[in-house]
Amino acid sequence: MSSQLVYISTITGIQNPPISSSHHHHQHQYLSQRTYIPAKVYEHPAALLLERCSSLERLRHVLPVVFKNGLYQEHLFQTKLVSLFCRYGSVVEAARVFDPIDDKLDVLYHTMLKGYAKVPDLDKAVNFFVRMRYDDVEPVVYNFTYLLKACGDEAELRMGKEIHGLLVKNGFSLDLFAMTGLENMYAKCRQVHEARKVFDRMPERDLVSWNTMVSGYSQNGFARMALEMVTLMCEENLMPSFITIVSVLPAVSALGLISIGKEIHGYAMRAGFDSLVNISTALVDMYAKCGSLGTARRLFDGMLERNVVSWNSMIDAYVQNENPKEAMVIFQNMLDEGVKPTDVSIMGALHACADLGDLEKGRLIHKLSVDLDLDRNVSVVNSLISMYCKCKDVERAASLFRKLQTRTLVSWNAIILGFAQNGRPIEALNYFSQMRDWTVKPDTFTYVSVITALAELSVTHQAKWIHGVVMRNCLDKNVFVATALVDMYAKCGAITTARKIFDMMSERHVTTWNAMIDGYGTHGIGKAALELFEEMQKGTIKPNGVTFLSVISACSHSGLVEAGLQCFQMMKESYRIEPSMDHYGAMVDLLGRAGRLNEAWDFIMQMPVKPAVNVYGAMLGAFEPDDGGYHVLLANIYRAASMWEKVGQVRVSMLRQGLRKTPGCSMVEIKNEVHSFFSGSTDHPNSKKIYAFLEKLMCKIKEAGYVPDTNLILGVEDDIKEQLLSSHSEKLAISFGLLNTTAGTTIHVRKNLRVCADCHNATKYISLVTRREIIVRDMQRFHHFKNGACSCGDYW
């Protein structure tokens, strides 16, 4: 681009022609000049065929007829061919016609420039403009507006400013058409304040000028300014056109001002615009984004004409309003009516599949994208990556990511978040490292994804590292990043640090409150969770379904049954939130953990919907099961009732179905390295030392009063039971941690399953005899062991 800038800047003093120029003597021929055309030329059937060409394919079929009849050298046919090739986007073929012409009319130059700008190919358009000046073609105002449009379309602000200078230099600074084009260029380059300066300096303004400013404000996030422009426009006695309405409705949506939206709707009806498909589509979008989905659907159903944008708006409306099932119904209806989906349609459908977790339908949409030749569209591929990740097929997502030739920031964010949300934080961090190696600058979404991965990893030093990174990038005050930090520190066991960040936040979203309340809940600090919930209710941010789920779960972990029951009623009666299956499961867990099994069962029987497996799982979990799946829980219930035959039947059923209990795995971080231990494993290089230390440790805690709970293991002798219990993964991880840290250091352990009763009891005694604080994060909550006691109060 730099050479082009030089050409433009020195346009009046060019001594050597650019390579693309055919250097010839050129006589000025202006648009007003007429060329004599014999009747035999303009009356020839080939001329009529050209007039009737409606596509590039038809034009190519007519071209041989022009050649065959010796008409290719006629000015009429040359002009028409150049014009048609440019109109249908084939500037290369237009140039093949243009270049050999000896005496080129100025109009041909103007047409070619328009063709390059329309494609858009800004580099070639600028090169051609330079060639025009070298060939002594006097520029007209339209040349500058074509170039300005191309600059806007490609967001090339620097070149746009160059064109601005040339436009003024050539005497078009007061031209309404030129100034409107300039205004549009600045708005598209996100320089809306510069656009406003151009607008304010215009000696006269028409409806197009006003509409350009309204659209510029609306598209650049200045919604209130867009509305203000419409008000000023009306004060100037200019009646808003249908373009004004289409431009301002997104601003109404952004502000959620449905009352103003209704006023605009009424104006559109009075003006007769409501039958226009673009107006109806914009109204559908506005009502949906303002929360009036029913009105949006009625408008959509009442449309006499729909284009693909209309269908896309309705699909997106259901996706954004958390009704992916209906979004897929609309998408299918669109296909049934023979409407060809665009990339936006495919992305909307993929979003719906992701929200539904419907991998099968997602694969069908993927196949459809291939059939439509959209599978190379980077935005579609990004949506496919997100869909596969949310449907838990991260390997397929990774495969698509690897095949991407052009990876955008969105591509990196999708794959990082995908692995983070699928419990594979190490891979997520590896992708983040690769991203930085490729010198792709992370944004807030990237950091939120990485923080999510580190929350899953639950490694304190890594948490501090990423916190430092976001602080150095001045993003720690961003509400989304700060919320993720609160969640991460809570999940790393640093609940005090999480609260400090929460308290320092100047802005909080509902997700921020949810993260802090949930953090208190998983740490067994139910009273603090309730106090924070009460504080939230006094503010302007309303609790949502996730808030109540977090509060009820916090009550469950802390034995605050009555408070949990009150919250459930409050959710339904005061906030009109319909309970989800997760809420029902949390309530059963609340009652079951407290030993109120009859009430828990009655609650299940009285549910207005059919209970899902998680509800029954919560009921099974009330019988103090060992870690593992629901089959294991059921076996433990039978074991607790001494129904050994039933225990055997469940175990046989598991074997027949190929079901296995998930092996226990515990991780501990030592000197910035994470060590993993499986129950009974001897794979660690220090296994002998660990087991020797553990054997001595078990003797010490027995002396302090620990008694192994051998009832947890069936079918073997008591001494073997003790050996199996002593080799549980968390005991191995704790032993390794004690061996490799100094006195007074807190041991942080993470386990993939719920901590068993024996390990919980043993860890209390270990904290007592070693005088160490031990923090264990299992699949459900945190346990802070200190001086022989646990923060859960033996209630988990």
Side-chain angles (χ1 to χ4, degrees), residues 111 212 220 281 283 286 295 324 609 651 687:
T111 303
T212 301
N220 282 281
T281 300
L283 286 167
M286 182 274 293
T295 306
V609 291
R651 297 275 170 87
S687 283

Side-chain angles (χ1 to χ4, degrees), residues 366-580:
H366 187 177
K367 183 178 182 301
L368 179 60
S369 73
V370 174
D371 296 340
L372 293 167
D373 198 29
L374 292 171
D375 57 315
R376 289 190 295 273
N377 180 306
V378 68
S379 297
V380 171
V381 177
N382 291 342
S383 294
L384 283 166
I385 291 170
S386 293
M387 181 276 294
Y388 279 116
C389 286
K390 286 187 178 178
C391 292
K392 304 190 182 304
D393 189 354
V394 286
E395 299 304 335
R396 184 77 178 105
S399 174
L400 287 168
F401 180 81
R402 285 193 296 269
K403 292 175 184 176
L404 258 180
Q405 294 184 349
T406 305
R407 293 170 184 166
T408 64
L409 177 60
V410 177
S411 313
W412 288 99
N413 288 347
I415 199 69
I416 292 169
L417 183 63
F419 274 93
Q421 291 181 334
N422 278 277
R424 296 172 66 172
I426 301 298
E427 289 98 325
L429 293 172
N430 287 340
Y431 276 113
F432 178 60
S433 178
Q434 289 177 37
M435 176 184 177
R436 298 175 89 187
D437 290 342
W438 282 45
T439 65
V440 179
K441 187 177 180 181
D443 64 359
T444 54
F445 192 90
T446 316
Y447 286 116
V448 168
S449 302
V450 173
I451 292 167
T452 301
L454 290 171
E456 179 68 25
L457 196 59
S458 193
V459 178
T460 309
H461 91 274
Q462 291 275 30
K464 291 178 179 177
W465 164 74
I466 197 64
H467 192 177
V469 172
V470 297
M471 287 182 72
R472 287 192 293 275
N473 284 277
C474 302
L475 291 171
D476 55 313
K477 303 301 181 187
N478 177 280
V479 65
F480 301 106
V481 173
T483 299
L485 288 171
V486 168
D487 182 63
M488 174 189 69
Y489 275 115
K491 288 178 178 174
C492 288
I495 193 69
T496 305
T497 306
R499 182 58 193 258
K500 285 179 181 177
I501 295 171
F502 178 87
D503 288 339
M504 288 190 294
M505 292 175 69
S506 57
E507 178 190 4
R508 300 185 188 117
H509 288 181
V510 66
T511 51
T512 315
W513 290 90
N514 293 349
M516 196 65 241
I517 291 169
D518 185 66
Y520 277 132
T522 55
H523 282 265
I525 316 172
K527 287 184 179 179
L530 285 172
E531 287 171 3
L532 192 62
F533 177 58
E534 288 173 8
E535 184 183 336
M536 179 186 185
Q537 289 176 282
K538 296 173 184 176
T540 55
I541 297 174
K542 292 183 178 180
N544 61 12
V546 177
T547 314
F548 282 100
L549 182 62
S550 299
V551 174
I552 295 167
S553 296
C555 292
S556 178
H557 286 305
S558 299
L560 303 171
V561 182
E562 296 306 320
L565 292 170
Q566 288 173 13
C567 283
F568 187 72
Q569 291 304 316
M570 183 193 302
M571 177 181 74
K572 294 191 297 178
E573 296 170 6
S574 302
Y575 289 92
R576 305 292 182 197
I577 297 173
E578 196 65 30
S580 69

Side-chain angles (χ1 to χ4, degrees), residues 108-365:
L108 285 176
Y109 282 92
H110 302 317
T111 303
M112 281 298 299
L113 181 63
K114 181 180 180 181
Y116 282 120
K118 183 183 174 183
V119 174
D121 191 329
L122 184 57
D123 288 346
K124 289 182 179 176
V126 170
N127 272 330
F128 190 81
F129 181 74
V130 173
R131 174 181 175 176
M132 282 175 59
R133 299 311 311 275
Y134 178 79
D135 287 350
D136 294 328
V137 177
E138 195 70 26
V140 294
V141 67
Y142 299 103
N143 298 152
F144 296 106
T145 57
Y146 297 153
L147 291 171
L148 287 170
K149 184 180 183 305
C151 289
D153 291 342
E154 296 189 18
E156 267 288 351
L157 179 61
R158 185 180 176 188
M159 180 56 73
K161 288 181 175 179
E162 292 279 345
I163 304 300
H164 185 177
L166 282 175
L167 188 149
V168 173
K169 186 177 179 181
N170 282 270
F172 295 116
S173 60
L174 299 179
D175 185 276
L176 176 62
F177 193 69
M179 289 299 100
T180 303
L182 190 60
E183 178 192 357
N184 181 61
M185 182 276 293
Y186 278 120
K188 286 188 174 179
C189 289
R190 306 191 70 80
Q191 299 294 309
V192 70
H193 300 300
E194 290 297 321
R196 181 60 186 266
K197 287 178 185 177
V198 173
F199 176 83
D200 289 341
R201 286 196 296 262
M202 292 169 73
E204 60 174 323
R205 307 181 189 102
D206 62 3
L207 192 56
V208 177
S209 311
W210 283 92
N211 286 344
T212 301
M213 206 63 243
V214 172
S215 177
Y217 277 128
S218 185
Q219 292 177 1
N220 282 281
F222 296 91
R224 292 196 182 278
M225 291 300 295
L227 291 173
E228 184 182 305
M229 286 302 294
V230 176
T231 303
L232 292 172
M233 179 179 170
C234 293
E235 290 173 0
E236 294 282 333
N237 295 319
L238 274 172
M239 299 298 290
S241 67
F242 76 93
I243 292 175
T244 316
I245 294 171
V246 169
S247 300
V248 79
L249 280 173
V252 175
S253 303
L255 296 169
L257 299 174
I258 194 167
S259 58
I260 293 178
K262 288 178 178 178
E263 289 180 23
I264 294 172
H265 188 180
Y267 172 82
M269 292 179 71
R270 291 191 298 275
F273 296 148
D274 58 317
S275 60
L276 299 174
V277 66
N278 289 349
I279 293 290
S280 298
T281 300
L283 286 167
V284 166
D285 185 67
M286 182 274 293
Y287 278 114
K289 286 178 178 173
C290 287
S292 189
L293 190 57
T295 306
R297 180 59 186 269
R298 285 192 293 275
L299 268 174
F300 177 81
D301 290 341
M303 289 173 70
L304 299 175
E305 178 192 356
R306 301 188 192 107
N307 58 23
V308 69
V309 181
S310 313
W311 289 95
N312 291 348
S313 294
M314 202 66 241
I315 292 167
D316 182 66
Y318 279 115
V319 168
Q320 297 303 323
N321 282 273
E322 299 181 359
N323 192 345
K325 189 175 180 181
E326 194 61 29
M328 289 306 295
V329 170
I330 295 291
F331 181 74
Q332 187 59 53
N333 291 345
M334 181 179 84
L335 297 179
D336 294 342
E337 291 199 16
V339 179
K340 184 180 179 182
T342 62
D343 55 343
V344 177
S345 319
I346 295 295
M347 288 188 286
L350 287 170
H351 195 155
C353 291
D355 290 346
L356 289 166
D358 194 332
L359 182 58
E360 185 179 349
K361 281 186 180 175
R363 285 171 176 161
L364 290 174
I365 304 298

Side-chain angles (χ1 to χ4, degrees), residues 694-707:
L694 179 57
E695 187 177 350
K696 293 178 182 177
L697 184 62
M698 295 303 289
C699 290
K700 284 184 180 179
I701 64 174
K702 283 179 182 178
E703 290 173 4
Y706 162 72
V707 178

Side-chain angles (χ1 to χ4, degrees), residues 660-675:
R660 292 186 179 182
K661 177 181 170 181
T662 304
C665 176
S666 296
M667 294 177 286
V668 62
E669 180 198 358
I670 302 294
K671 296 177 182 177
N672 299 340
E673 186 178 353
V674 178
H675 297 260

